[in-house]
Structure formats: structure tokens, C-alpha cells
Amino acid sequence: MLLLIIGNWMAAVDAHSQDAELLLGRSIYHKGTDASGSLIRAQLALTGQVFPATEFACVNCHGVDGEAGQEGEVSIPAINAPQLLARNSASSVLKVITQGLNNRQQAISPAMPRYTLSRAQGQALLRYLSILGSAEDLDPGVTDSEVHFATLLPLTGKLSARGQALQSTLATCIARVNRQGLIYGRKLVLDVIDYQSSPEQLVAASKRLLLAGRSFALLSGDVPEDNVKFYTFWEQTRTPVIAPLTFNPQPHAADSFFYFLPSWADQARALLDYWLDYRPQARRTLPKLIVVYDERINTTKLVTSALAQQIQRQHLPKSTISFISLAAKLGAGEQQELTNAEAIFFVAEADAIKTFIAQQPELSEKIWLGLLDMLGPNFAKLSRNSLWISPFLENHVGEQDVACAAVDFAVAGLKVAGKHLRQAHFLKALTQLESFAVKSMPAFKFDANQRVGARGGFISIWDATTLTFRQVNDWIMPLETEIKR
Amino acid sequence: MRFCLLLLCFILSKSICAQSYASNPADVDLQQLNVAVINQHGQPLNFYEDLIKAKRVAINFVFTQCLTSCPLSVAIFRQVQVKLAKQAISLISISVDPSHDTPESLLKLSQKFHAQAPWDFITGDPVVITQLLKTLGSYTADKNAHSNMVLISQADGRQWTKLYGFPQPKAIITALTATPDQKF
């Protein structure tokens, strides 16, 4: 009995080791790095320059399945499992990879870099090459019967209520999808990772997730506004990241990221456009807008810069808009500007502004403009006359709808990507989807330069008489070209 | 077990490591080079006036989503730039995918390979860039079939040399530093 237990334990360890080796080999081939992020060097034979192998990963030339190809004047031979290791010794293949020499000690094409691999890395890569492109070669998180999506949520800590609500929503939506039928014989499985409401823990949790090697893609998930480290980590892994819930998408994001929600900057621009066109004095006087901002918020600079650019696009003089920091002591000039202003655009959180407003009672007579999801509806209710923008429509489109839409988007991509499921094919399928929409939001269309699905939002007025928000139009998108006045 | 010669022969037959060869092509129509382009810094330029005139220039053809030959082309140019650091030469990398390549994505590409000025990564109106590529003899309907050739311009664009077959840094340097009309 003891021998049986030990035998089973050793088998489990051995299986685990093999899985870890395969995972390593796959990571080296597809990403040019091992999962821990250790540097692998690639030396170009043509120039002697050394680069991180992430820039020259095997997959870049040899493709996801190791099939033959052509790009420009470069012909790429097939190196998938039936072709390569069946006819060549492991040591000779390793010599090609690390020294650029064939078994006659002749230099191979200098187009292929020479890679510096440790013994373990070389063994792992060969192990992976032995199955490359075969039915056994499945991307992380994919089996014959399941495809695993991971989501990073704050299940504990101060944001736990929100995280748990999102968890419940995602689980419900995935269950609905699975009831509708399998996708190429696979059901969706959601793995939820708790990052404990701590932005610092988010990257640590991401690393654990990647090392586990069981996630095909990231789905929805809550990320903090300052999410550069999260983005940088996942961007280099080429793992598909679908609809991270943030109003601060990374500019010029990689094609593995699909943001759904509009940025604060785009919402601000759209709101400004609306106000300029619909203010009662539109035809008679030039507008005068003051932007009151909190420089402690990381995204403030993006928003204030976007508003300044939008004034230019609207062909209005620069004097149309002025900026006042909450941190600055107001001088006589700023006081006068506030007095003369027609409208105030708040780019700050509610608590930061309340003190400022209390000190400037005349502001209650001005029109307030703001981003509803930044300031919150309770702040909006302090105003007498205000315009707000949000991608969410009360009782109709909410954050939970976006989370479910992320599931539907992933499903649509899976159906196009096919039975032999690869992250690369999945990414391509997602980018090719057209007219995907979240309820009454405009349809999304992603491409190489457009990684944010929704831009702008719904405009609503706070009616101080009826104490309600009144939607005033359909979705509005910011103006992108200059207008003539 | 014999190493698969397929791995070698196909690559060699496509002359990636074969000697690059030069030809002096038909004259490039300089009038057609007077077009508006934009570089990786978002700077609007006139291709001829700002990038060709009074310069010795090497031009290659890339696009940012190309992961196979283009990184190599850019790395080769960087090597040329390093080796000719004290000489007055300019480099131009023209995007063959202007519909997708923005100044920002080209800037990212240039930074990856530490490209220094004067080296312009060019994109622009797709119609204009397409015509520019045709003028330079480098247009292909499918961007994935783009050429890896390097064009050398001397004497204000009155003398052009094409280096085919994935030219190595040495060949590019030789062509760039040759006196006009010199055969090499």
C-alpha cells in the first residue's frame, strides 16, 4: 500500500514536472521568455547585435504551428512536430538554435538568430518542439473539453462587495453560455483570482496566474485606474485580455488588449462637444469654461489635455478654457475667472471638490459638467444645473452588462477561432468581429490602432426640480476632426 | 541522423545569406518624390526636400506588424548607423502598411532598436505612400510580400542603387560611402 501511495505521488510529481517543462518550452517558443521572466538572449548573426528573445521569439517567424511560410523575401521552413524532431536528433536541432550550425558544422541562414539557452531551457524547448503543431499542442488553459478564462477581482478587502458582485455576474453569464451548448466540444470555465483590493497584489496575482499556466485569456476583471504595471505585465505575454473594467485604457495598447469602456478623456471630450453645441447662448457668445482639476489623480493630465485639444478642434480661441488646480491658492485672477465663467468642468473626485465648492458659493449658479462615474450621482445631486456623461444608462446599461458582454465577445471569438484553439487565432478572430455591441452602446470595432471599443457616452441632465437624471440624447462620440466656424 | 537540408536549402535558395547584388535601376522620377509624409515624431515632411535632397540616404521597407524580416531589416540599419556614426548619412524606413502604421507605432519600433536621428520612419496618407512605393519600385499589393531590398540614394536622388537579397551591413555601408558613379 505504501509503495502504491509513493508510486502515485511520484507519478503526480513526474507529471507535474513534465507539465512544467512543456509550459516552459511553450513560453520560450511563443514568447521568447520563460514564465519567470528570465532573460533569454538572441544574437543576430547578420550584425552580432544582441536582443531580448522576446523581440525575436520563434513564433514570429515559424508561426503558431511551426508550418512553412513566406514573408517578404524570407522563406520559413516547416518545423512542426512531424517534420523536425522525427528526422533530426535533439542535439543537432539544439545546435542550430544556439550556434546556428548544422550537423556538418556549416552555418545556417544568418536570418535566424542564435539563442542563449540554459540546459533546462534547451530541454524544455525541445520537449515543446516534439509536439509543436500536433493535436497535443494546446495553448494554456485549453483541453479537449474545456477552455479556461481567468478573472482578477477584489474578493476581499475594501472593494470586495464590487468584486463579489462581478464574480456572481460572470459566473451566471458563463453558466448561460454553457447551457446553450459546447463550443467545439469545450465548455467555458471561469477561474477567479482574488487580488485582495490591493493594486500591489494585482501584479503578484497576475504572476501566479501566468506561472500556473492554466489560463487561455483574461476576462473582464477589475483593474485600478493606475494600471500601467498590470498592462505592461500582460502585454508582454500576448495573453488576450478582454474588457478589463477601467476608464483608463493604456494609450496605443497592444493588439492583445480589448478595452470596452470609454476613457475619461474621450468622455470629457464628448461632453464638452455636447455643451458647446447645446448651450443656450451657442449662437450669441463665445463660451467660457473653467476646468477645476485634482492633480493627484493620475488621469487628470490626460483629461485636461484632451479638453484643451478639443477646444482647438472646435476652432475656438484658447481663452475659451482655463484650468484651476484644487491644490493651488486662488489669486484675484482666478477668482475673476470663476466669476466670469459660464460653466465649470470638474475633473476630480467628489470629496476633493466639496471643500472647494463650499468656499465658492457663486459656483452653484454655474453650469456644472462632469464625468458621472468619477464624481458619483450623489455629488451631481448637489448641483442646480448640470450635465453629466457616463457610458452607463440607469436601469439599462450597467457594469454588469459590460462583464456579460465580455463573455459574449469571447464566445464569438472562440467560434471563429476554430477547434484547434490558439491564442493567436483567437486574437485575430476577436479583431475581425464586427458590429459587436453592449446593449445600447454603439457597436465596437477593434483594429491595430483602435483598442477601445466605446468612445464617448450618454449625456444626462440633473433636474433639481424633479430630482432625477434625465437622459438628453443617444450615445455621443467626441468630434475627431476640426470644424470650421 | 542527418540534419534536414530543407531547413538550409529553402532559405539559401531565397538568397537571404547569398551575396546581395546591386543594380543601377532606371532613374527614379524625382517629381514623384515631392510628396507629403509624416515621420515617427508626427513631423510633417516633404519626402524629397527634407529627406533626399543633398543627402546620402539608405531606404528600407518595413511595417510594424511584420515580425519576421522587418525587425532584422531595422537591426541591420541600426548597425549601419552605428558604424557610420561620424559620417553624414541618413536612413529612411518607409512603412508598406500606411493604413495601420501610425507615427506612434513607428516610434515604438524605432525605440526598440535604439534608432537615432537622422533616421526617419515614414508613414502618411495611404494613397500618397502607395504612389511613393511605386515610384521607388517597392510596391506590392500584399504587404506580407514586401521586398527586403535597400535603396541607396546619392547625388540628390539622381543616382540610385538597389541592393537585393537582404543586404548585410557591410554591403549597405559600401554602397552608401561610394562616390557617385563609382561601381562596386
Side-chain angles (χ1 to χ4, degrees):
Chain A
M1 183 64 179
L2 183 61
L3 283 173
L4 188 60
I5 292 171
I6 291 173
N8 283 342
W9 176 76
M10 286 176 70
V13 168
D14 189 43
H16 177 75
S17 299
Q18 283 184 352
D19 284 343
E21 185 177 67
L22 201 52
L23 197 63
L24 173 58
R26 181 192 303 282
S27 180
I28 292 171
Y29 181 88
H30 286 275
K31 297 175 181 157
T33 180
D34 64 25
S36 70
S38 298
L39 184 68
I40 295 173
R41 291 192 294 192
Q43 182 173 38
L44 302 187
L46 276 170
T47 63
Q49 295 156 306
V50 176
F51 292 93
T54 46
E55 301 300 337
F56 289 93
C58 312
V59 70
N60 289 0
C61 292
H62 291 287
V64 295
D65 292 318
E67 292 174 346
Q70 177 93 26
E71 192 266 295
E73 293 168 19
V74 179
S75 285
I76 319 296
I79 61 164
N80 49 8
Q83 306 261 0
L84 188 67
L85 285 173
R87 291 190 276 178
N88 303 283
S89 70
S91 61
S92 65
V93 172
L94 209 50
K95 196 177 256 188
V96 169
I97 295 170
T98 59
Q99 298 176 47
L101 297 174
N102 63 14
N103 59 359
R104 294 184 199 166
Q105 302 303 310
Q106 294 165 332
I108 64 159
S109 165
M112 175 157 157
R114 284 49 165 146
Y115 297 87
T116 304
L117 299 171
S118 69
R119 192 162 180 276
Q121 289 168 342
Q123 195 170 330
L125 181 57
L126 288 172
R127 169 89 168 84
Y128 179 65
L129 289 175
S130 71
I131 64 161
L132 174 64
S134 69
E136 204 185 329
D137 182 15
L138 296 170
D139 272 0
V142 179
T143 68
D144 288 338
S145 58
E146 294 178 347
V147 54
H148 286 247
F149 287 87
T151 187
L152 291 151
L153 294 173
L155 297 181
T156 54
K158 65 179 182 180
L159 302 173
S160 59
R162 183 157 176 263
Q164 287 167 17
L166 280 168
Q167 177 185 26
S168 175
T169 297
L170 284 169
T172 301
C173 292
I174 285 191
R176 168 179 55 80
V177 166
N178 286 333
R179 278 195 304 273
Q180 289 168 354
L182 303 176
I183 302 170
Y184 296 106
R186 299 185 180 103
K187 70 173 185 179
L188 272 59
V189 177
L190 182 69
D191 300 316
V192 186
I193 316 298
D194 178 15
Y195 74 88
Q196 300 163 31
S197 302
S198 162
E200 291 76 28
Q201 288 298 319
L202 185 59
V203 174
S206 295
K207 281 183 183 166
R208 287 197 301 274
L209 194 60
L210 187 69
L211 277 170
R214 283 196 297 269
S215 301
F216 180 69
L218 288 190
L219 193 62
S220 195
D222 187 44
V223 295
E225 286 307 297
D226 183 2
N227 54 61
V228 170
K229 287 182 183 171
F230 168 85
Y231 170 79
T232 305
F233 178 84
W234 285 108
E235 187 246 347
Q236 61 187 357
T237 69
R238 301 283 298 148
T239 301
V241 179
I242 301 172
L245 295 174
T246 175
F247 291 117
N248 188 26
Q250 291 301 309
H252 314 298
D255 62 359
S256 54
F257 273 73
F258 299 82
Y259 292 100
F260 278 21
L261 294 175
S263 66
W264 291 130
D266 276 348
Q267 290 184 56
R269 291 195 299 130
L271 179 58
L272 176 63
D273 289 341
Y274 179 85
W275 174 67
L276 288 169
D277 280 344
Y278 289 96
R279 49 191 272 276
Q281 311 91 314
R283 294 181 196 282
R284 290 182 277 118
T285 59
L286 280 175
K288 181 60 193 166
L289 177 71
I290 303 290
V291 178
V292 173
Y293 66 95
D294 184 353
E295 55 200 23
R296 293 172 303 174
I297 298 180
N298 286 335
T299 52
T300 290
K301 201 169 173 189
L302 286 171
V303 176
T304 53
S305 172
L307 287 171
Q309 283 174 11
Q310 204 66 2
I311 290 290
Q312 272 190 303
R313 279 201 189 89
Q314 290 274 0
H315 251 273
L316 290 167
K318 285 185 186 173
S319 56
T320 303
I321 190 168
S322 303
F323 298 89
I324 292 178
S325 165
L326 284 175
K329 194 171 172 185
L330 293 184
E334 286 91 9
Q335 291 283 7
Q336 190 61 46
E337 283 203 315
L338 281 170
T339 304
N340 295 340
E342 186 182 337
I344 315 287
F345 200 127
F346 293 109
V347 185
E349 290 174 358
D351 287 340
I353 296 180
K354 280 175 183 168
T355 309
F356 182 82
I357 291 174
Q359 292 167 349
Q360 321 288 334
E362 70 275 18
L363 292 186
S364 61
E365 302 302 321
K366 310 291 180 185
I367 299 168
W368 292 7
L369 307 178
L371 307 167
L372 191 59
D373 300 289
M374 182 183 280
L375 281 153
N378 288 337
F379 178 81
K381 292 168 187 174
L382 299 175
S383 67
R384 288 188 198 167
N385 191 358
S386 56
L387 282 173
W388 305 93
I389 189 167
S390 170
F392 302 128
L393 203 54
E394 198 171 320
N395 298 326
H396 186 52
V397 181
E399 192 174 60
Q400 312 296 334
D401 298 298
V402 176
C404 269
V407 174
D408 293 336
F409 186 69
V411 167
L414 287 174
K415 287 179 178 173
V416 174
K419 183 169 173 58
H420 188 57
L421 187 54
R422 300 296 228 163
Q423 285 173 330
H425 299 151
F426 182 60
L427 287 175
K428 194 172 175 185
L430 291 175
T431 306
Q432 288 173 348
L433 292 176
E434 302 220 2
S435 303
F436 182 87
V438 181
K439 286 207 167 176
S440 46
M441 289 186 183
F444 296 171
K445 180 68 184 90
F446 295 98
D447 63 32
N449 299 318
Q450 182 61 29
R451 309 311 307 171
V452 181
R455 294 169 50 244
F458 297 106
I459 308 282
S460 55
I461 290 176
W462 169 249
D463 188 328
T465 309
T466 60
L467 300 178
T468 54
F469 285 100
R470 181 164 51 87
Q471 182 194 350
V472 293
N473 73 327
D474 293 331
W475 187 277
I476 180 171
M477 289 177 60
L479 191 73
E480 293 300 345
T481 54
E482 285 197 18
I483 65 166
K484 306 254 185 276
R485 285 189 185 267
Chain B
M1 187 173 286
R2 292 169 69 87
F3 181 74
C4 179
L5 289 178
L6 198 65
L7 193 60
L8 281 178
C9 289
F10 277 5
I11 300 173
L12 287 172
S13 69
K14 292 292 179 181
S15 58
I16 290 172
C17 64
Q19 289 289 329
S20 53
Y21 63 96
S23 71
N24 286 321
D27 291 334
V28 172
D29 184 352
L30 296 185
Q31 289 295 326
Q32 298 285 338
L33 297 184
N34 247 323
V35 294
V37 297
I38 189 163
N39 72 2
Q40 71 271 33
H41 302 296
Q43 194 183 355
L45 300 165
N46 179 291
F47 187 79
Y48 177 76
E49 290 292 329
D50 296 318
L51 300 175
I52 300 293
K53 190 174 174 184
K55 295 184 191 332
R56 290 179 182 232
V57 181
I59 305 172
N60 66 8
F61 305 91
V62 299
F63 64 105
T64 61
Q65 292 184 337
C66 157
L67 300 177
T68 310
S69 60
C70 300
L72 207 47
S73 292
V74 178
I76 288 170
F77 258 32
R78 175 60 185 150
Q79 187 79 324
V80 169
Q81 184 172 66
V82 166
K83 292 207 179 289
L84 293 180
K86 292 183 181 158
Q87 301 203 32
I89 59 111
S90 295
L91 301 174
I92 305 173
S93 293
I94 303 180
S95 168
V96 300
D97 186 20
S99 299
H100 292 110
D101 283 345
T102 61
E104 291 81 11
S105 61
L106 288 170
L107 181 64
K108 237 179 177 178
L109 175 62
S110 73
Q111 288 171 337
K112 249 188 227 183
F113 292 92
H114 310 289
Q116 307 289 321
W119 185 353
D120 292 275
F121 288 70
I122 298 299
T123 185
D125 182 301
V127 172
V128 170
I129 298 295
T130 296
Q131 189 53 48
L132 179 62
L133 292 170
K134 286 179 179 173
T135 302
L136 296 172
S138 182
Y139 172 73
T140 54
D142 176 8
K143 65 192 178 202
N144 291 302
H146 73 97
S147 170
N148 295 118
M149 74 158 165
V150 172
L151 262 178
I152 309 288
S153 164
Q154 294 193 14
D156 282 347
R158 284 175 283 113
Q159 179 168 323
W160 293 85
T161 304
K162 280 184 183 174
L163 301 178
Y164 292 100
F166 230 125
Q168 300 193 25
K170 193 175 173 187
I172 299 172
I173 290 168
T174 301
L176 263 175
T177 54
T179 52
D181 298 321
Q182 178 183 340
K183 302 292 179 199
F184 54 88

